[in-house]
Amino acid sequence: MRVLAAMSGGVDSAVAAALAVEAGHEVVGVHMALTRNPQLFRAGSRGCCSLEDASDARRVADRLGIPFYVWDLSETFQDTVVEDFLAEYAAGRTPNPCLRCNEHVKFRTLLDKAQALGFDAIATGHYAQALPGPDGPELHRSPNHAKDQSYVLAVMGRDELSRVLFPLGGFASKDEVRAAAAQRDLAVSAKPDSYDICFIPDGDTRGFLRDRLGARPGPILDPEGRQVGEHEGAYAYTVGQRKGLALGRPAVDGRPRYVLSTNMRDNSVVVGAEELLTVNHLQGRRASWLTDPAPIFGADGPPSGIAVQVRAHGREMSAELTLEDQGETLVSRLTSGTLRGVAAGQSMVIYQGTRVLGQATIARAWRQ
Amino acid sequence: MSHYLDHAASTAPTPAALAAYVEEAGHAGNASSLHAAGRRARRVLEESRETVAACLDARPSEVIFTSSGTEANNLALKGIFWGRRSQDAARRRLLVSAVEHHSLLDPAFWLAGHAGAEVALAEVDQNGRLELAALAAEFGEASSTALASVMWANNEVGTLQPIAEVARLCQRFGVPLHRAAASAVGQLPVSFAASGADALTVSGHKFGAPLGVGALLTRRDLPIESLTQGGSQERGLRAGTVNVPAIRAFAVALAEATSTQAERAAHLTSLRDRLIAGVRRAVPDAVLRGPEPATGRLPGSALFTFPGCEGDSLLYLLDSAGVQASTGSACQAGIPQPSHVLLAMGVDEESARGALRFSLGSTSTEADVDALLAALPSVAERARNAGLTSAR
Ligand SMILES: Cc1ncc(COP(=O)(O)O)c(C=O)c1O
């Protein structure tokens, strides 16, 4: 096959590219430039978008003896990831930019462009497995649970899944991947992992938002509606957040307070005790499915043995699914246990065993 | 089979230049040393300088060797700016054409940011040629102008600039004129004495010298300061032990390039015209940028924009078909930026992103051009489909 290896400059995508070459594919390496002004993004060696990363990726491609190019996807990235990030925060939700990047940039624009240019598939360094099933490819968790990235991949479509390779799917640990890189003499084998949001180089998300959305002072309220503090913009708060509230007075009971909700209409932030964050129902919208047909439309009713996960590295929770509003809304009722601090805008990913069935964007969460 | 159509980026050293380089690199000897080995190196250096001067119709004392065209441009811009300003502090304006190479524009803007210079960009028409009326108007502020810089021929689109008219304006108003001739030497006759220029940039690897050597020709009466301190080499304008092997090879290649310039220009012109006609047949909506053939353009290059295509897609597809071309514009981390030259010519940004430059050299053949023409129809179609997907 002709395979385009997406090479971020990190160790994972480097090993993925190497394995694609060793599997006998005709491989071309591509680094996605996500800004036209690389200095704007981080200059260290931890990110996904700096000049260093592009040249690290290039050196790996040299070592593998494959052609290498930098493709400018900055416009798509700006429109679908950065703008979405700002708009979601402005609307009081908490987006996951890595997931949007997978949805719109890697597994849409890059994949479509690759296909148009004659590639059969793209290979990425994600920890997840695309396994053949009776009805076509299935997305499964990586056996390396700590690193598993199926959560951020669940947004891709079925058709896209049939055109991707995850060569790291079978790796059980990051150490194994680093060892594989060292064994192949890839200079990135000891490069540190990246954690933060790549377009916020200093990690100061609140500052990034304030610079772009402006300061909008408003009240911080307790659950009874009494003002207990002030904030510089409700958009910068996330449900479940405890740090950075700067409340002058301690709570009556002396216990820590958490953000329970943010309300964009009156620009208020409501805080309260930890137990008020507990939820056991999640409502998701804009569901997309990696099964065909969508499982809950099947003749047998909702699928069984379901678990949901609401954060990239969160726990999965057993759940029962129902559809409401003619299928527009997906509701998960947690059947054993509760979750705390679930923010609107995050993705709720539906698992059956290790398999990803689909996902929806969380609109609301409550206890009942 | 690989077909190299990017000679404007760099062309391989000629066998004679390479042999001269290798032979010279085997000798010990610092051209500033006073013993026999030093004298030998010094003699090679000065003979090379005389050759270069003869080839470019200059005097030997006017030749300052540098490491590259970029260094020569920096020396010209900053050196003359500082030299002229130390004579008269009011001279802080730099008048440069909007389509200069980045190695000229960037030092100009650096001077604006760090040394109080003021940059005036002279506009060009849709073919990339200087607007003479607009240029003449810029001389209204001649007394505060430190220097003017206008390239001989544009490296991206190949447009020749109105040399004589620019030189006349500069002479009339007493403004020193610098010209970057990196793309011109070897393709066009270049006479420093007749050009009316006070300084002229030459880059070796564009005409068959090895990488790592260039020259700035400067008139002796031009006020110019050195950018480097640490030695009195090169009239005190370029401190550091002189790279004699590269300079010897530079002289050999330049002598070849200038003595065969007419035949080479004829060869390049006929290949270029075959290429232009062929590209227009293969991709009828491709747009040739710059003037039509036979009307003031370099013999050896042609830049097209391909509607709906992205330059990086075209480049990748041609590369995988064994044809090596360039987007013709500056790169940052390998990202093609829309060319400032095309934008200055009034090309819109989207069209500018679909640019591809083909440039020929003395070793180019009809087979190279035909390989491009054979690959191009399907390449352009594919690139267009890919362009549509990324616009969706
Ligand atoms: C017009 C022009 N000026 C300057 C340069 C830079 O020369 P060099 O590559 O020797 O630094 C080039 C080529 O890159 C050029 O085309």
Side-chain angles (χ1 to χ4, degrees):
Chain A
M1 282 203 292
R2 287 167 61 83
V3 173
L4 182 153
M7 298 176 72
S8 67
V11 61
D12 295 328
S13 58
V15 172
L19 295 174
V21 171
E22 288 162 24
H25 300 304
E26 186 185 334
V27 181
V28 169
V30 168
H31 179 80
M32 296 188 291
L34 300 178
T35 168
R36 295 223 169 106
N37 185 354
Q39 269 81 16
L40 273 185
F41 284 8
R42 79 169 99 246
S45 53
R46 308 173 306 137
C48 55
C49 331
S50 70
L51 282 170
E52 286 91 334
D53 290 319
S55 64
D56 286 345
R58 183 186 309 276
R59 292 295 298 129
V60 170
D62 289 345
R63 180 94 193 112
L64 300 178
I66 59 174
F68 176 83
Y69 305 91
V70 177
W71 283 358
D72 178 4
L73 297 180
S74 56
E75 229 163 89
T76 312
F77 187 77
Q78 179 67 31
D79 293 352
T80 62
V81 180
V82 182
E83 298 296 340
D84 173 81
F85 183 82
L86 291 170
E88 285 290 286
Y89 267 111
R93 293 184 289 264
T94 305
N96 181 329
C98 300
L99 195 143
R100 293 294 156 236
C101 180
N102 283 335
E103 178 182 11
H104 297 289
V105 184
K106 285 199 191 104
F107 300 107
R108 170 88 38 87
T109 306
L110 179 70
L111 184 57
D112 286 350
K113 182 167 173 175
Q115 186 174 28
L117 293 177
F119 291 96
D120 303 303
I122 71 173
T124 70
H126 286 108
Y127 290 78
Q129 306 187 73
L131 300 175
D135 309 312
E138 302 178 352
L139 179 63
H140 286 261
R141 284 193 193 273
S142 155
N144 172 2
H145 269 258
K147 276 276 166 194
D148 173 55
Q149 289 174 310
S150 57
Y151 178 85
V152 289
L153 296 171
V155 275
M156 83 167 86
R158 264 174 68 77
D159 174 53
E160 283 77 16
L161 186 59
S162 68
R163 292 184 279 146
V164 302
L165 303 177
F166 300 127
L168 303 189
F171 276 71
S173 73
K174 179 93 183 194
D175 289 343
E176 241 179 68
V177 175
R178 292 197 181 281
Q183 199 180 19
R184 288 164 180 80
D185 230 353
L186 303 179
V188 291
S189 64
K191 190 167 166 178
D193 290 352
S194 57
Y195 290 106
D196 313 337
I197 298 170
C198 69
F199 54 87
I200 306 182
D202 55 5
D204 178 12
T205 302
R206 209 189 274 200
F208 180 86
L209 293 171
R210 192 183 335 100
D211 291 350
R212 285 157 185 82
L213 300 176
R216 289 182 48 209
I220 299 181
L221 309 174
D222 71 9
E224 283 71 45
R226 289 175 299 231
Q227 179 158 353
V228 293
E230 274 186 34
H231 62 75
E232 294 220 314
Y235 57 75
Y237 295 81
T238 289
V239 171
Q241 171 180 343
R242 180 182 156 192
K243 287 190 186 134
L245 289 176
L247 297 175
R249 271 169 296 132
V252 189
D253 56 10
R255 291 165 58 210
R257 282 167 295 191
Y258 294 79
V259 174
L260 301 179
S261 63
T262 58
N263 188 338
M264 292 304 119
R265 223 163 291 148
D266 62 8
N267 191 30
S268 68
V269 173
V270 179
V271 299
E274 185 175 15
E275 60 266 20
L276 298 174
L277 285 169
T278 306
V279 299
N280 63 354
H281 282 73
L282 307 166
Q283 182 200 60
R285 293 184 183 277
R286 293 193 285 129
S288 67
W289 299 98
L290 280 164
T291 57
D292 186 28
I296 10 212
F297 297 112
D300 318 334
S304 57
I306 292 299
V308 298
Q309 184 178 328
V310 300
R311 275 188 276 268
H313 296 289
R315 249 181 338 133
E316 62 170 45
M317 307 291 293
S318 304
E320 275 173 8
L321 302 180
T322 48
L323 271 191
E324 297 177 357
D325 303 345
Q326 282 92 42
E328 284 296 296
T329 306
L330 176 69
V331 175
S332 302
R333 187 178 70 78
L334 307 185
T335 54
S336 57
T338 54
L339 285 165
R340 249 197 350 242
V342 176
Q346 296 277 299
S347 185
M348 154 167 97
V349 176
I350 317 294
Y351 290 88
Q352 189 173 43
T354 61
R355 183 182 177 192
V356 175
L357 299 185
Q359 63 86 41
T361 304
I362 295 169
R364 211 156 68 76
W366 69 97
R367 176 164 207 165
Q368 179 177 310
Chain B
M1 189 54 188
S2 149
H3 300 279
Y4 185 71
L5 293 178
D6 201 14
H7 289 271
S10 192
T11 194
T14 66
L18 194 56
Y21 183 88
V22 169
E23 203 279 325
E24 188 60 36
H27 290 281
N30 182 324
S32 302
S33 300
L34 305 177
H35 47 56
R39 282 197 302 278
R40 192 201 152 275
R42 164 67 69 131
R43 176 176 168 187
V44 172
L45 172 65
E46 295 310 328
E47 283 172 359
S48 301
R49 195 186 310 282
E50 284 154 18
T51 306
V52 169
C55 290
L56 297 174
D57 195 11
R59 277 180 284 163
S61 59
E62 292 172 331
V63 178
I64 309 298
F65 289 115
T66 65
S67 67
S68 64
T70 298
E71 189 195 329
N73 281 346
N74 272 271
L75 176 56
L77 257 280
K78 296 173 185 162
I80 300 171
F81 173 77
W82 282 317
R84 291 266 292 163
R85 207 184 47 174
S86 66
Q87 291 178 335
D88 179 349
R91 293 173 184 153
R92 31 186 296 276
R93 231 164 133 260
L94 299 167
L95 176 55
V96 300
S97 95
V99 295
E100 292 300 305
H101 192 264
H102 273 292
S103 62
L104 195 297
L105 288 177
D106 292 3
F109 284 106
W110 184 91
L111 284 170
H114 293 82
E118 185 190 310
V119 180
L121 288 181
E123 314 234 309
V124 297
D125 66 15
Q126 60 172 26
N127 285 328
R129 210 174 132 89
L130 271 185
E131 300 270 21
L132 278 173
L135 183 72
E138 293 288 348
F139 282 87
E141 293 174 57
S143 63
S144 64
T145 301
L147 98 143
S149 182
V150 175
M151 66 205 318
W152 203 290
N154 184 266
N155 53 301
E156 293 185 30
V157 294
T159 306
L160 307 188
Q161 295 300 355
I163 306 177
E165 290 88 337
V166 176
R168 261 197 300 280
L169 277 170
C170 285
Q171 262 149 22
R172 197 164 106 219
F173 291 98
V175 173
L177 172 63
H178 167 257
R179 313 191 55 100
S183 312
V185 169
Q187 295 200 34
L188 302 169
V190 172
S191 160
F192 182 52
S195 71
D198 299 277
L200 185 120
T201 288
V202 185
S203 168
H205 69 109
K206 310 286 182 185
F207 61 76
L211 284 157
V213 57
L216 182 70
L217 310 192
T218 58
R219 287 170 49 98
R220 297 288 280 115
D221 55 359
L222 184 67
I224 178 168
E225 307 252 340
S226 176
L227 312 188
T228 46
Q229 284 70 42
S232 59
Q233 293 90 346
E234 301 299 292
R235 263 173 49 197
L237 287 175
R238 212 259 176 183
T241 303
V242 177
N243 185 353
V244 176
I247 288 167
R248 179 171 154 194
F250 180 91
V252 169
L254 184 61
E256 288 180 277
T258 48
S259 65
T260 58
Q261 180 269 322
E263 302 95 271
R264 181 194 303 224
H267 170 67
L268 295 178
T269 302
S270 93
L271 288 180
R272 179 202 68 193
D273 291 350
R274 181 186 186 91
L275 187 149
I276 290 174
V279 170
R280 284 172 160 168
R281 256 195 319 275
V283 185
D285 64 353
V287 184
L288 176 70
R289 299 298 177 175
E292 283 300 307
T295 54
R297 61 156 52 235
L298 277 178
S301 71
L303 182 145
F304 286 87
T305 54
F306 294 86
C309 300
E310 287 176 30
D312 60 9
S313 297
L314 292 164
L315 190 147
Y316 155 69
L317 290 165
L318 282 176
D319 193 11
S320 58
V323 177
Q324 300 166 62
S326 121
T327 53
S329 54
C331 290
Q332 234 184 353
I335 311 162
Q337 310 278 322
S339 148
H340 70 285
V341 173
L342 292 177
L343 298 182
M345 289 160 61
V347 177
D348 65 274
E349 197 169 315
E350 196 185 318
S351 305
R353 288 189 183 282
L356 213 55
R357 178 188 68 184
F358 309 104
S359 57
L360 303 150
S362 56
T363 53
S364 299
T365 61
E366 288 187 354
D368 293 328
V369 173
D370 294 348
L372 164 69
L373 301 180
L376 203 49
S378 65
V379 162
E381 193 190 322
R382 273 231 154 122
R384 191 157 308 172
N385 287 335
L388 292 176
T389 67
S390 48
R392 120 181 164 180

